[in-house]
Amino acid sequence: MPSHLSADRPAAQPPGRGSVDALISQTRRLKGDVDAVRRDAAGEGSDHPRDRWQRALYDLALHQLSDLDEHLAQLRDGPLPTAAPEPTAPAQGSLLSRVGSAEWNLLTDEASWSGELYQILGRDPAAPPLTLDELPSLVVDEDRPKLTAMVTNCLVDARPIDGEFRIGRRDGDVRTVHMMGEPVLDTDGSTASMWAVLRDVSELRRSQRAVSETRDSLHDRQEAARSEHRLAVELQEAVLPPWRGSLRLPHRGPRTLDLASQHLPAPTSTMIGGDWYDALELTGGETLLSVGDLTGQGVGVTSNMTMLLGAVRGMAMAGAQPGQLMTWLNQLLDATVQPALGSAVCCRYRPATRTLVWAQAGHPAPLLFRDGTGRVLNTPDGVLLGATSGAVYGQTEETLQVGDLLLLHTDGLVPGHTGSAAANLLLGLAPRLTGDRTVEDCVRTVVEEFGESAREDNACVLVARVMS
């Protein structure tokens, strides 16, 4: 079918076969390159919205390249016969059928359809083509006014057709068709006929919707994460110890400990983690120090942290010593669904004798720095790491001196290192943590050394210096 704009314009000559073959080769090479990048991309099999969105875009790009390959091949090979007895079905997974064409002669009321158009519209190729008046019978009711307006504008005002509408095929399938056309003018400038090309874009639109939906899902998930993060921060600021600067205790007598601390969030995470530190002045001038972590992230773990710290403080105020406190805390958590304790260390400082009593549950032991050197405090006898219900935690004592510096921290403070390896790196800072440096300087030293490193988890550090 000629795709001319006027009757006196000669039909365009088809492009040379060699030039189209070159375009087909380039398209297939690009398709191979895109497919290779898709296979190497992370997230294969993941249900995360970002990974689904990326997969949808890769699939859409590959489908469109496949369809470009098909259309170029059709351009090279020419249209199918008008009455093809068994039209070839489009390739499995193709976004577009072959492009069909039609021409409607307004003077003779005759219509001419290509074989591809019969295939696209699901019509019997042996049946006569539909006239312009009959064509709307294929279109769903809601889209008929759109088609009528496009055809009227083309025939009356000589406007090009470029729009989409849905058709109902005899097999019950509803397809989306993109139609482009122009009027054909006779020698006196009046419309003699109308030609159009049509293609099935149903799968293309479905793939585009999938990309849009996965993008929207990713955006919604990110917004929800940001909202949860803001809520968690507000909750922490309202009920938890400050995450920066010195811990200010309401001293009722001489200051026995000078304290500073820092929370180090994971830079790659927008969620609040379950790491905590706390300091509480008890009756008799004693001080409770604790650090630990809960499993999980987000608002839920923040509220659980609040409950846990309340329980720890309440038991300490009631006189529970660290070993007994850890035992009761273990029993309390075993009796509830949440929170789930990852690890903890609890210390009670008695200024009258400069004695530190402490216990741990699967947590790094405190570090003691004195006279330019440092060491790990001896683990309490009978301590059970990852204790089960009914277990009893041991405790131990350490006599301190004026000027001694204690460092308590959660796992993850030293990125990529845990246990003795992390402790050795921290002990290596001994010359920089002792002497006349303030506790704020000491915390700053730790943060400068390890805080800027890439970490996967949040972490906390608490420093205490014996003042008297």
Side-chain angles (χ1 to χ4, degrees):
M1 181 198 69
S3 58
H4 44 277
L5 297 179
S6 63
D8 59 353
R9 175 180 293 182
Q13 295 300 313
R17 187 180 184 91
S19 59
V20 176
D21 281 335
L23 290 174
I24 292 174
S25 298
Q26 292 176 14
T27 300
R28 291 175 180 175
R29 283 197 299 271
L30 180 57
K31 180 183 175 184
D33 292 341
V34 173
D35 190 39
V37 173
R38 182 188 63 170
R39 289 196 304 269
D40 293 339
E44 188 69 25
S46 167
D47 196 44
H48 190 280
R50 179 179 295 276
D51 296 328
R52 293 202 308 269
W53 172 69
Q54 290 178 340
R55 287 199 300 271
L57 279 178
Y58 278 125
D59 290 342
L60 179 59
L62 286 172
H63 280 310
Q64 289 176 323
L65 287 172
S66 295
D67 295 323
L68 177 59
D69 187 8
E70 287 185 26
H71 294 325
L72 289 173
Q74 182 183 359
L75 182 65
R76 178 193 61 194
D77 300 337
L80 292 175
T82 299
E86 294 184 0
T88 304
Q92 183 68 27
S94 174
L95 294 182
L96 308 175
S97 299
R98 293 172 66 88
V99 175
S101 59
E103 185 167 4
W104 291 273
N105 190 309
L106 303 182
L107 303 179
T108 63
D109 202 27
E110 293 178 343
S112 175
W113 284 10
S114 69
E116 295 89 356
L117 186 56
Y118 280 95
Q119 174 184 316
I120 291 170
L121 301 182
R123 303 285 294 177
D124 182 357
L130 298 181
T131 65
L132 279 178
D133 292 334
E134 296 170 328
L135 185 62
S137 64
L138 299 179
V139 182
V140 299
D141 293 342
E142 296 88 343
D143 291 354
R144 285 178 185 173
K146 183 189 302 184
L147 174 63
T148 300
M150 289 192 299
V151 172
T152 300
N153 290 335
C154 179
L155 299 180
V156 176
D157 299 327
R159 297 181 185 175
I161 292 177
D162 187 355
E164 295 182 5
F165 51 86
R166 291 167 294 165
I167 62 167
R169 295 172 30 138
R170 290 180 176 178
D171 57 8
D173 193 13
V174 175
R175 310 295 291 178
T176 301
V177 174
H178 186 195
M179 181 177 182
M180 297 183 67
E182 292 183 357
V184 179
L185 307 179
D186 59 17
T187 55
D188 62 2
S190 60
T191 303
S193 63
M194 187 187 86
W195 69 268
V197 291
L198 298 93
R199 60 175 180 162
D200 184 348
V201 295
S202 304
E203 296 303 323
L204 175 61
R205 298 295 175 254
R206 186 174 296 118
S207 292
Q208 290 173 335
R209 286 195 299 271
V211 171
S212 177
E213 289 169 359
T214 53
R215 183 187 62 233
D216 292 343
S217 174
L218 175 61
H219 179 266
D220 292 343
R221 181 164 178 166
Q222 291 173 336
E223 282 298 315
R226 282 192 286 267
S227 297
E228 187 174 358
H229 177 69
R230 287 193 296 269
L231 180 58
V233 170
E234 292 171 359
L235 181 59
Q236 282 191 332
E237 291 176 347
V239 299
L240 298 179
W243 289 135
R244 295 175 178 81
S246 296
L247 290 169
R248 301 298 181 184
L249 299 178
H251 298 292
R252 288 178 288 270
R255 187 170 62 170
T256 58
L257 289 178
D258 196 11
L259 304 173
S261 52
Q262 183 80 34
H263 174 253
L264 289 78
T268 57
S269 173
T270 60
M271 299 300 294
I272 297 297
D275 297 80
W276 90 85
Y277 61 78
D278 191 27
L280 177 68
E281 188 171 17
L282 306 172
T283 57
E286 297 184 0
T287 302
L288 173 74
L289 304 175
S290 66
V291 296
D293 65 89
L294 300 177
T295 59
Q297 290 184 329
V299 175
V301 75
T302 302
S303 60
N304 291 335
M305 194 190 311
T306 306
M307 183 187 76
L308 181 141
L309 284 180
V312 170
R313 289 179 168 189
M315 288 186 284
M317 291 292 291
Q321 297 300 306
Q324 183 66 69
L325 190 152
M326 297 300 296
T327 300
W328 286 349
L329 182 63
N330 182 67
Q331 294 173 357
L332 172 65
L333 297 182
D334 275 350
T336 60
V337 176
Q338 292 290 343
L341 181 65
S343 64
V345 61
C346 179
C347 306
R348 191 173 184 123
Y349 178 64
R350 300 169 181 167
T353 58
R354 298 198 189 97
T355 302
L356 183 75
V357 184
W358 68 280
Q360 65 181 159
H363 197 85
L367 305 180
L368 174 61
F369 296 88
R370 177 186 297 168
D371 298 331
T373 62
R375 64 180 176 89
V376 180
L377 295 187
N378 295 327
T379 301
D381 293 335
V383 66
L384 299 178
L385 304 181
T388 59
S389 180
V392 177
Y393 287 87
Q395 65 182 37
T396 189
E397 296 184 2
E398 184 78 28
T399 301
L400 304 180
Q401 300 177 10
V402 174
D404 282 354
L405 187 109
L406 284 171
L407 190 151
L408 283 64
H409 67 95
T410 58
D411 276 324
L413 176 63
V414 182
H417 297 81
T418 59
S420 60
N424 289 335
L425 289 173
L426 289 167
L427 292 174
L429 300 177
R432 300 164 60 186
L433 299 181
T434 55
D436 297 331
R437 294 172 61 84
T438 66
V439 287
E440 290 84 359
D441 291 337
C442 294
V443 169
R444 192 175 302 112
T445 295
V446 174
V447 172
E448 289 174 353
E449 188 70 23
F450 303 113
E452 300 301 325
S453 303
R455 63 179 67 255
E456 297 180 359
D457 299 315
N458 300 298
C460 291
V461 57
L462 187 154
V463 172
R465 169 165 282 131
V466 178
M467 302 300 293
S468 62

